[in-house]
Structures are given as structure tokens and as C-alpha cells.
């Protein structure tokens, strides 16, 4: 069910995307439209995606968000969400997070799956995902909710492309069969000090479950994950704020390191 008219979806797409592009805080969309629902929120997100593509941006991947109980509790929401990754979100390993382009960036340790077969829900499960996966690689997501003080509800965060803003990949890519994805450990350090640690099972019990959930959520809109998709699974650790001058490193068990700095 939806509650918003096409004009209202367009208005909210303008509202959220302008805040992203010009890096300023907004108040959550449900303050203006308290009756809007989950499907309305994805209508807004898909409209933002359509606008970026119409301007020539490429969509280079998808991300799941709020896939760990710790993240859901941290942000006060009750289920996971997804967003898209545009070409200009990508930062090379060792590169710079340009803080002036963002509002209040935080970094998260993640993994990314690269697929070799289409995944089409409903009913996609972990086994389907592992069979369809070409490689698993380390990733760091830079989230930057456009909402004031990172305060939102699930519907508002979905309309804001699930806080997507930048991401880094690097390290070593390996077939899933060479990894124990549940116990795969990550260590995040900022300015040489360990700030977060975690293991793959923090994400819905198994990282591949997140990709399966994404395929099943996309099916609700008649969409699928084509072969060759790049999918970030959601944070293994809590998100940590970075400020100008911070250097960060995330070590992934058996998959090398991703590092960068905030400038
Ligand atoms: O895990 C995530 O990527 C979080 C997505 C949205 C929620 C947030 O901004 O923390
Ligand atoms: Mg994330």
C-alpha cells in the first residue's frame, strides 16, 4: 500500500537528495508525512536513484543496512533496509573521505559479495547466495545520514537511501568456499587505536543471509540482483564517527586491510 502521490514522492526525493548533494541536515520525512509507509519510502529512494541515472551516474552496487542486532538497537529501528551505491560514492583503498562533502560521516566494517548468477526472490536462501557468489571482499562503508543528529525511523532512513554516501574496497577477494564467513574477524583502528572488533556472524547470523534478504526485498518490487552485482552486507561493527585528520585501518581475517583518512 502507498499513501503518497507521485508529486509528494518527487517532493521528498528533492528534499532528501538535495541534502545529500549539498551536505546539509534535514528533519525526518515522517515528521511531514506521518502516515507514509515502507513502500512510499522505497518509492522515494528509487526516485532518487532514477534521477541520478538520468544525470549520467552509474549505479555500481547495493548495500544492506541495519543487518545486525547491535546496529538496529544503536539506531532504534526494528528491521534491515537497503540502499544503492552510485559511482561517485566509491573511494579507492588508501584514499580520502572528504569531510566537507559530507555532514557527519561514520565508518563501518563490512564485507561485499560479488555475484556471478542472478539472484531473484522470493525464497532466496543462504545456499542460493553461496552458489551464486563469485568472490567475497572486504569493504568499509562511510554512512552519512542526512537527518539531524542521525535520528530517524526506518521509513525515514529508507527514503534517505539508507544513509549511503561513500565506500571503500580493497584487500584480497576470495571465493566464499575459502572463508569461514561466520567467524571471519575484523579489527577497526582509528589513529592507531583499536575502536571496534567483530565477526561475520554479527550480520544476521551469516553474511550470506544479508544478500539473500536483499534479493527477497527487491522481489517485493519485481526487481532482482543481476549477475555481477556488488553487494555490501551491512555493518559487522558499530559505526564510528570520523573527523578531519583521522587515519583509519580495518583488518579483515584472511582478506587483508583497507585504510584511508578523513581530510
Ligand atoms: O548499516 C548501515 O549501513 C546503516 C544504514 C542506515 C542506518 C544508519 O545511518 O545508521
Ligand atoms: Mg553499512
Amino acid at each position: 500500500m502507498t499513501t503518497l502521490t507521485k508529486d509528494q514522492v518527487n517532493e521528498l526525493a528533492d528534499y532528501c537528495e538535495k541534502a545529500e548533494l549539498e551536505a546539509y541536515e534535514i528533519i525526518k520525512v515522517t515528521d511531514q508525512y506521518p502516515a507514509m509507509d515502507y513502500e512510499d519510502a522505497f518509492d522515494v529512494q528509487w526516485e532518487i536513484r532514477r534521477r541520478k541515472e538520468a544525470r549520467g551516474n552509474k549505479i555500481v552496487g547495493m548495500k544492506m543496512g541495519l543487518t545486525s542486532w547491535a546496529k538496529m538497537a544503536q539506531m532504534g529501528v526494528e528491521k534491515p533496509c537497503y540502499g544503492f551505491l552510485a559511482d561517485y560514492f566509491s573511494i579507492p583503498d588508501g584514499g580520502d573521505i572528504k569531510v566537507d562533502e559530507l555532514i557527519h560521516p561514520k565508518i563501518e566494517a563490512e564485507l561485499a559479495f560479488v555475484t556471478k548468477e542472478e539472484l531473484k526472490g522470493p525464497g532466496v536462501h543462504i545456499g542460493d547466495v553461496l552458489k551464486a557468489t563469485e568472490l567475497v571482499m572486504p569493504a568499509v562503508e562511510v554512512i552519512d545520514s542526512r537527518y539531524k543528529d542521525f535520528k530517524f525511523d526506518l521509513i525515514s532512513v529508507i527514503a534517505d537511501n539508507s544513509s549511503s554516501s561513500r565506500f571503500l574496497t580493497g584487500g584480497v577477494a576470495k571465493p566464499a568456499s575459502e572463508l569461514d564467513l561466520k567467524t571471519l574477524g575484523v579489527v577497526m583502528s582509528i589513529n592507531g587505536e583499536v575502536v571496534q572488533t567483530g565477526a561475520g556472524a554479527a550480520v544476521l547470523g551469516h553474511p550470506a543471509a544479508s544478500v539473500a534478504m536483499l534479493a527477497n526485498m527487491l522481489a517485493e518490487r519485481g526487481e532482482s540482483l543481476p549477475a555481477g552485482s556488488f553487494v555490501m552486507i551491512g555493518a559487522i561493527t558499530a559505526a564510528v564517527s570520523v573527523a578531519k585528520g583521522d587515519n583509519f585501518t580495518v583488518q579483515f581475517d584472511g582478506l587483508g586491510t583497507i585504510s584511508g583518512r578523513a581530510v
Side-chain angles (χ1 to χ4, degrees):
M1 213 186 77
T2 54
T3 69
L4 298 181
T5 64
K6 185 64 193 147
D7 282 351
Q8 288 168 329
V9 169
N10 284 335
E11 177 206 325
L12 291 183
D14 266 349
Y15 178 68
C16 293
E17 199 200 10
K18 202 155 177 284
E20 181 245 308
L21 294 172
E22 296 176 18
Y24 60 82
E25 286 180 340
I26 52 177
I27 48 166
K28 60 188 199 306
V29 291
T30 51
D31 283 9
Q32 198 183 346
Y33 292 103
M36 72 182 277
D37 63 20
Y38 189 71
E39 212 178 315
D40 290 317
F42 275 118
D43 285 347
V44 174
Q45 184 189 121
W46 280 85
E47 173 58 24
I48 295 171
R49 175 179 172 142
R50 192 198 63 73
R51 289 169 184 220
K52 290 196 190 301
E53 288 189 284
R55 275 184 232 116
N57 291 126
K58 296 271 178 275
I59 304 307
V60 297
M62 297 293 289
K63 59 80 70 81
M64 284 292 277
L66 302 168
T67 44
S68 73
W69 295 119
K71 267 295 296 202
M72 282 186 248
Q74 183 186 21
M75 305 320 296
V77 303
E78 64 288 356
K79 65 177 186 174
C81 54
Y82 67 78
F84 64 82
L85 304 172
D87 45 11
Y88 67 92
F89 294 2
S90 173
I91 298 174
D93 187 12
D96 295 339
I97 300 173
K98 295 186 180 133
V99 174
D100 288 341
E101 293 177 359
L102 305 172
I103 304 162
H104 38 204
K106 296 182 184 180
I107 58 170
E108 298 180 328
E110 306 217 1
L111 292 169
F113 282 54
V114 179
T115 61
K116 60 184 176 193
E117 289 169 20
E118 185 188 32
L119 284 166
K120 193 171 174 52
V124 173
H125 56 68
I126 292 177
D128 298 321
V129 173
L130 293 174
K131 183 173 159 291
T133 297
E134 173 96 53
L135 293 165
V136 177
M137 61 200 294
V140 171
E141 181 173 25
V142 183
I143 51 167
D144 192 38
S145 173
R146 269 52 69 169
Y147 296 121
K148 191 166 164 19
D149 302 327
F150 258 91
K151 293 261 172 7
F152 45 68
D153 46 43
L154 186 64
I155 287 169
S156 296
V157 80
I158 289 169
D160 182 34
N161 192 21
S162 297
S163 308
S164 308
S165 75
R166 299 287 183 271
F167 68 97
L168 300 90
T169 53
V172 183
K174 287 189 180 166
S177 58
E178 290 180 22
L179 298 165
D180 180 345
L181 288 165
K182 285 177 76 162
T183 61
L184 197 147
V186 301
V187 179
M188 180 193 285
S189 305
I190 298 189
N191 301 326
E193 186 190 334
V194 174
V195 291
Q196 289 289 324
T197 58
V203 173
L204 296 172
H206 191 295
S210 173
V211 183
M213 185 180 270
L214 174 60
N216 293 328
M217 288 170 86
L218 288 172
E220 291 168 13
R221 297 185 69 95
E223 304 280 346
S224 68
L225 276 175
S229 291
F230 172 88
V231 179
M232 295 197 307
I233 59 160
I236 294 169
T237 61
V240 181
S241 294
V242 285
K244 279 187 191 184
D246 284 342
N247 288 287
F248 62 88
T249 302
V250 186
Q251 295 164 270
F252 297 79
D253 193 15
L255 292 177
T257 295
I258 294 178
S259 57
R261 58 186 181 154
V263 297

